[in-house]
Amino acid sequence: MKEFSLENIAENIHFGKTKMYFTEVLSSYHNCNYRSSVVMLWSVSVCDIIYKLQYLVDLYADSAAKEILDEITSLQDSDKKSPAWEIKLLEDIFNKTNLINSPEYENLRYLQQQRHLSAHPVLNHNSELHSPNKETVRALLRNTLEGLLVKPPFYTKKILHELLDDISENSAALNTRRKVKQYVESRYLNRLTPQVELSIFRSLWKLVFKLSTFECEKNRLINLQTLEVINKRNIALVPETIAGEKDYFSNIASGGTPLSFLVYYLSQNSEFYNLLSEDCHLKIKHYISTESIGKTLGWFVKVDLNTHYNDLLEWIKSEKDLTFEEGQWDSLLAISDTVEWQKCFCKLIGAYYGVSYSFNQADARFKNVQQYLHLFNLEALKFILSEIENNDQTYIRGKSPFDHTKIKQRILEVSAETFDFEPYPWFSHTVCLGEGL
């Protein structure tokens, strides 16, 4: 396991001046000057708190931050030699802001006590100056870095505003889920407590699944992807968060894009559905019964996935003008990562192609087959061959010789060239035409 590195995490210190001062702390630590390191660490921590408060005043005119700074300035003016304002500052940011939580507050109080012992001529019973050991100083350095110095200067509401503006501005570059995860974790989430992350999750829920303003519509996808990142990071805490505010999380849109996004989200997180209220269930069930995306992904309101598969198969075979939108197949596949569901998924694509009502429709639908052909096992391949045999729109069309040769290649890959093509004469005929060209 890679050892924790003070230097690496120090690179994430938000303010340049704090980072510069912290190099002096590390230098003292590495040179075994542990008293000096502790004294300087406390001074750096106090400065960093001041910088964060001033940032909030300058950028957001934050009244709480201004009040704290004004009180500290007043204390300093009344007695320039007293360090009492430092403790007052620490207590105020704990009681009046969200910059630190209780454990972080206690760690900083302990740092202040160690600083007092290290900075003053406090002698032990052997008439020696107090000297903290290496392990204590290293723990103080790590706790202060993680609990204060690397944190951005935001309260909960402020960081939400900053995050939303940031990801919206950079949405063109953040064009995959992986990139969104890397970006929001590196820039924001890795510096936040779970409580603050869940507060952001709560706000994103409303933006993604309730509101329909222009800004919400424009940023709905990247906001959903950010919500998903927080969801996965706090998977044990999200259910109790939803259950604890059932009315809030059940206040969703009645239809449209917000509800389609919610159905997609619940298809990936089905355990959350039963945490929502009955009136919320009614909206979701209506959407699932009437809208294409709902019918495709709404498996979580049914008995099991097998029931959902049978419902989809019946729907696909009965709906003449059915057209799956871009990404709809991907979302359906993502419902489950089991081999059994992958087989069902491939059969659904086979059925979708097999009931094509025209040559043009078959041409278009085969693109879906080709996209996922590498997932087809032997059972799914036999299924699609049966579908082809029963529909001349698939095997008479001009492109079938080229397209069906690709299916044969996949069959040979999974069957070790022992497959019996005799029960599928029309398919075999088109393949022969393709291989003869």
Side-chain angles (χ1 to χ4, degrees):
M1 181 181 293
K2 186 177 180 180
E3 184 181 1
F4 174 85
S5 169
L6 294 170
E7 288 78 6
N8 286 345
I9 195 171
E11 289 300 312
N12 294 322
I13 292 176
H14 187 83
F15 291 108
K17 285 193 292 185
T18 301
K19 186 183 293 186
M20 179 182 66
Y21 295 150
F22 191 78
T23 59
E24 184 177 340
V25 178
L26 277 180
S27 176
S28 296
Y29 169 75
H30 289 311
N31 287 309
C32 302
N33 298 320
Y34 300 133
R35 277 190 298 266
S36 299
S37 182
V38 170
V39 172
M40 187 61 185
L41 180 61
W42 172 251
S43 297
V44 172
S45 300
V46 172
C47 289
D48 190 68
I49 292 171
I50 296 293
Y51 298 155
K52 285 178 165 63
L53 293 173
Q54 191 61 55
Y55 182 97
L56 291 169
V57 172
D58 293 343
L59 265 71
Y60 302 110
D62 191 281
S63 58
K66 186 176 187 305
E67 179 184 345
I68 293 172
L69 288 175
D70 289 344
E71 290 179 359
I72 296 305
T73 300
S74 179
L75 284 174
Q76 290 173 323
D77 291 342
S78 63
D79 188 349
K80 297 185 181 298
K81 296 182 180 181
S82 173
W85 66 271
E86 298 174 9
I87 301 300
K88 169 69 172 171
L89 175 66
L90 183 58
E91 291 176 347
D92 279 353
I93 67 160
F94 173 60
N95 293 319
K96 299 179 181 180
T97 80
N98 291 311
L99 287 175
I100 59 174
N101 57 26
S102 295
E104 292 159 352
Y105 169 75
E106 294 299 333
N107 286 334
L108 288 170
R109 281 304 306 259
Y110 182 65
L111 169 61
Q112 191 276 331
Q113 293 165 8
Q114 288 296 309
R115 179 264 177 198
H116 176 78
L117 293 172
S118 298
H120 293 86
V122 179
L123 303 178
N124 62 20
H125 63 280
N126 293 322
S127 298
E128 296 175 341
L129 287 173
H130 170 76
S131 180
N133 59 43
K134 179 179 180 179
E135 290 73 21
T136 297
V137 178
R138 183 174 176 81
L140 289 170
L141 290 169
R142 179 171 183 170
N143 290 338
T144 305
L145 276 168
E146 295 179 331
L148 177 66
L149 302 184
V150 302
K151 286 185 174 182
F154 303 118
Y155 301 161
T156 304
K157 292 182 179 179
K158 300 299 185 296
I159 197 169
L160 175 66
H161 176 79
E162 178 76 11
L163 185 151
L164 291 175
D165 285 350
D166 190 4
I167 60 177
S168 176
E169 182 179 338
N170 293 285
S171 59
L174 304 177
N175 54 6
T176 67
R177 279 178 162 78
R178 181 182 60 82
K179 290 179 182 178
V180 171
K181 180 179 186 295
Q182 289 179 336
Y183 190 81
V184 298
E185 285 190 333
S186 173
R187 191 169 175 85
Y188 297 99
L189 302 182
N190 288 341
R191 305 179 182 187
L192 302 177
T193 64
Q195 290 75 17
V196 176
E197 287 191 41
L198 290 171
S199 178
I200 297 172
F201 175 87
R202 182 183 187 274
S203 298
L204 286 170
W205 183 281
K206 183 176 182 179
L207 293 174
V208 177
F209 303 136
K210 171 64 177 176
L211 303 181
S212 298
T213 65
F214 173 78
E215 282 297 314
C216 288
E217 196 64 37
K218 183 181 75 169
N219 298 307
R220 198 176 306 281
L221 178 58
I222 197 167
N223 287 345
L224 170 68
Q225 292 168 344
T226 304
L227 181 145
E228 290 175 325
V229 173
I230 298 175
N231 187 144
K232 290 179 180 178
R233 287 168 58 92
N234 300 274
I235 193 64
L237 299 175
V238 168
E240 64 183 62
T241 299
I242 295 175
E245 289 190 87
K246 178 180 286 191
D247 289 342
Y248 175 87
F249 286 97
S250 297
N251 184 21
I252 60 171
S254 298
T257 308
L259 197 50
S260 71
F261 272 58
L262 178 60
V263 169
Y264 165 79
Y265 175 76
L266 292 175
S267 75
Q268 313 297 313
N269 301 275
S270 58
E271 66 274 21
F272 299 158
Y273 174 72
N274 288 328
L275 301 177
L276 303 173
S277 65
E278 286 301 316
D279 58 292
C280 181
H281 288 176
L282 288 173
K283 294 180 182 179
I284 294 171
K285 287 179 178 178
H286 177 73
Y287 185 86
I288 289 172
S289 67
T290 58
E291 300 294 333
S292 178
I293 295 295
K295 291 179 181 179
T296 306
L297 303 180
W299 72 273
F300 51 87
V301 303
K302 301 175 183 178
V303 176
D304 53 31
L305 266 176
N306 191 55
T307 301
H308 186 58
Y309 163 72
N310 289 326
D311 289 345
L312 285 177
L313 190 60
E314 180 182 353
W315 176 47
I316 288 172
K317 289 194 170 187
S318 63
E319 191 77 29
K320 182 176 181 179
D321 296 322
L322 180 63
T323 301
F324 273 51
E325 298 176 6
E326 184 178 355
Q328 199 166 345
W329 286 114
D330 283 339
S331 300
L332 182 60
L333 176 61
I335 282 178
S336 173
D337 60 0
T338 64
V339 174
E340 183 63 27
W341 177 247
Q342 180 176 298
K343 179 183 69 177
C344 291
F345 170 80
C346 292
K347 285 184 176 181
L348 291 172
I349 294 179
Y352 185 65
Y353 173 60
V355 296
S356 300
Y357 288 92
S358 67
F359 293 156
N360 288 339
Q361 191 178 64
D363 286 344
R365 289 184 174 188
F366 188 81
K367 293 178 181 178
N368 298 127
V369 176
Q370 183 173 338
Q371 181 180 356
Y372 300 100
L373 192 55
H374 65 287
L375 300 179
F376 278 62
N377 67 4
L378 193 57
E379 183 179 338
L381 288 164
K382 288 181 178 180
F383 181 89
I384 195 173
L385 293 190
S386 297
E387 295 293 301
I388 291 171
E389 289 297 309
N390 292 323
N391 186 357
D392 61 5
Q393 299 301 302
T394 63
Y395 61 75
I396 294 181
R397 65 190 179 92
K399 292 184 179 180
S400 64
F402 304 97
D403 292 343
H404 291 180
T405 299
K406 296 170 184 175
I407 296 179
K408 181 181 178 180
Q409 290 171 352
R410 177 60 183 168
I411 291 172
L412 297 179
E413 288 176 9
V414 301
S415 66
E417 301 189 14
T418 60
F419 189 82
D420 181 13
F421 288 96
E422 187 174 345
Y424 313 103
W426 286 115
F427 173 81
S428 299
H429 176 68
T430 59
V431 169
C432 287
L433 291 176
E435 292 175 339
L437 294 175

